[in-house]
Amino acid sequence: MFKKKNLTHLEFEVDSPFNYSTFKCTHLRLACETEPKPYYTSKLWWCGITLLGLGEVGNVTAYGFAPVALVAPLGCVSVIGSAFISVLFLKKTMRAADILGGTLTVTGTYLLVTFAPSVPQELTARRVQNYLVSWPFLVYLILEIIIFCILLYFYKRKAVKHIVVLLMMVALLASLTVIAVKAVASMITLSVKGKMQLTYPIFYIMIVLMATSCAFQVKFLNQATHLYEVTAVVPINFAFFTTSAIISGVIFYQEFQSAALLNVFMFLFGCLLSFLGVFVIARNKKEEHLQIPFIDCGHIPGKWGFFSVSV
């Protein structure tokens, strides 16, 4: 049986696939206009932006209610959601790999939610401060800085732009991001409940850490998507990000500290199934190119009739 408190992030992740489907649908519709208009004039595009904003707000909020080790892996829900929603909205073909990958991911999600660590203690500003100066985290932070500097050296000095190097830097930064996001979300949640935490300097330090690490993540992730296929970037980034988030949650927030060995094993097995599911869905999935030099608007959702517009 699913833990009710662990459904929070699962619900928010469902919004994500709709965002990208609406963006794609908008561009297809605009391509069929006799007088093309800017995409930002489309109501459908703004609908996608709104859903994207709601999804990200929900994603951040989830960190205030659930362990990092649970929230991060559930990002796989958006991957399988995108695969199935694209079939409905963008008329993509459902592949056997999509069904197999979706089944693996759903099974993994069930195990993640069922065997996720339970962290009932409130995450106050003082507790965050104590975690920040604990020796396990300081050792972890030093090792992370050393590894990041080595990767950055190869990236800058040796011009090594391998996908693993780029996405490992993204993952290392992401581990700091999830630590900061959970701290900020938890302190805001407690403040809303009447236990004011926003007067502590650590709250604003975490906001700065969150914004800075996010900015650099975007830089390296954009570089990776520019040099490599999205179908390769998405699964590798998901695996690296999830692994780094779980490790940071275990070390910084001491998740799984009192968990039974069976729970830990089943949780890790759920992560493995989710990784496999995402890789199966993304494997050999290429962008479809039109074999004819026009767009048949009769196949675009919301359009009627059969006519074509030259590209």
Side-chain angles (χ1 to χ4, degrees):
M1 183 177 181
F2 282 96
K3 298 178 182 178
K4 184 176 180 181
K5 66 176 183 177
N6 289 342
L7 291 177
T8 306
H9 183 65
L10 188 60
E11 293 166 356
F12 290 133
E13 282 293 344
V14 175
D15 286 340
S16 183
F18 287 96
N19 310 334
Y20 302 107
S21 294
T22 52
F23 291 154
K24 184 73 172 180
C25 217
T26 298
H27 291 300
L28 288 175
R29 287 188 177 186
L30 291 175
C32 293
E33 299 290 340
T34 53
E35 297 180 3
K37 299 178 182 178
Y39 60 87
Y40 52 79
T41 62
S42 170
K43 293 180 180 179
L44 187 61
W45 186 83
W46 281 106
C47 177
I49 285 292
T50 303
L51 287 173
L52 181 62
L54 290 174
E56 291 307 314
V57 169
N59 191 32
V60 171
T61 304
Y63 281 99
F65 295 94
V68 171
L70 172 65
V71 177
L74 286 182
C76 63
V77 175
S78 64
V79 177
I80 62 172
S82 295
F84 287 98
I85 290 173
S86 63
V87 174
L88 299 176
F89 285 87
L90 303 178
K91 306 304 179 185
K92 297 287 185 179
T93 303
M94 175 67 72
R95 306 175 304 155
D98 295 330
I99 299 174
L100 175 60
T103 302
L104 289 172
T105 308
V106 169
T107 305
T109 300
Y110 174 80
L111 294 177
L112 288 171
V113 175
T114 304
F115 295 98
S118 179
V119 187
Q121 61 186 8
E122 292 182 338
L123 191 60
T124 62
R126 291 190 181 277
R127 192 180 295 277
V128 173
Q129 290 174 352
N130 293 335
Y131 286 156
L132 201 60
V133 295
S134 63
W135 70 263
F137 174 69
L138 292 178
V139 172
Y140 169 75
L141 183 62
I142 291 171
L143 289 175
E144 187 171 271
I145 291 174
I146 292 173
I147 295 172
F148 184 83
C149 289
I150 293 173
L151 293 173
L152 190 63
Y153 170 78
F154 282 104
Y155 172 75
K156 287 288 188 182
R157 298 292 185 179
K158 302 296 184 179
V160 177
K161 292 180 172 58
H162 193 276
I163 187 171
V164 173
V165 172
L166 292 168
L167 295 183
M168 278 192 68
M169 288 193 289
V170 172
L172 291 172
L173 291 168
S175 66
L176 299 178
T177 302
V178 296
I179 287 174
V181 168
K182 181 169 179 60
V184 170
S186 298
M187 285 187 276
I188 291 176
T189 301
L190 288 177
S191 299
V192 171
K193 291 180 178 179
K195 300 178 181 180
M196 181 54 64
Q197 305 292 314
L198 307 186
T199 56
Y200 291 87
I202 190 65
F203 174 76
Y204 301 97
I205 292 173
M206 286 297 180
I207 287 180
V208 172
L209 176 61
M210 179 177 64
T212 305
S213 57
C214 277
F216 283 100
Q217 274 186 78
V218 171
K219 170 183 170 58
F220 294 120
L221 191 56
N222 280 342
Q223 182 74 17
T225 54
H226 177 70
L227 296 174
Y228 299 94
E229 293 287 340
V230 175
T231 52
V233 174
V234 169
I236 296 175
N237 183 58
F238 171 68
F240 282 5
F241 166 79
T242 302
T243 303
S244 68
I246 292 174
I247 293 174
S248 63
V250 169
I251 294 176
F252 188 86
Y253 293 111
Q254 300 174 11
E255 297 172 356
F256 288 107
Q257 190 174 29
S258 58
L261 184 61
L262 177 62
N263 283 21
V264 175
F265 174 78
M266 294 303 293
F267 180 85
L268 294 177
F269 184 60
C271 287
L272 178 61
L273 289 180
S274 298
F275 292 163
L276 288 175
V278 172
F279 271 93
V280 169
I281 291 174
R283 183 174 177 270
N284 296 329
K285 194 170 187 178
K286 303 294 183 181
E287 285 291 327
E288 295 180 2
H289 299 283
L290 291 174
Q291 300 300 319
I292 47 178
F294 63 83
I295 298 175
D296 187 353
C297 294
H299 294 335
I300 298 176
K303 291 290 182 180
W304 292 270
F306 293 86
F307 58 95
S308 61
V309 179
S310 299
V311 176

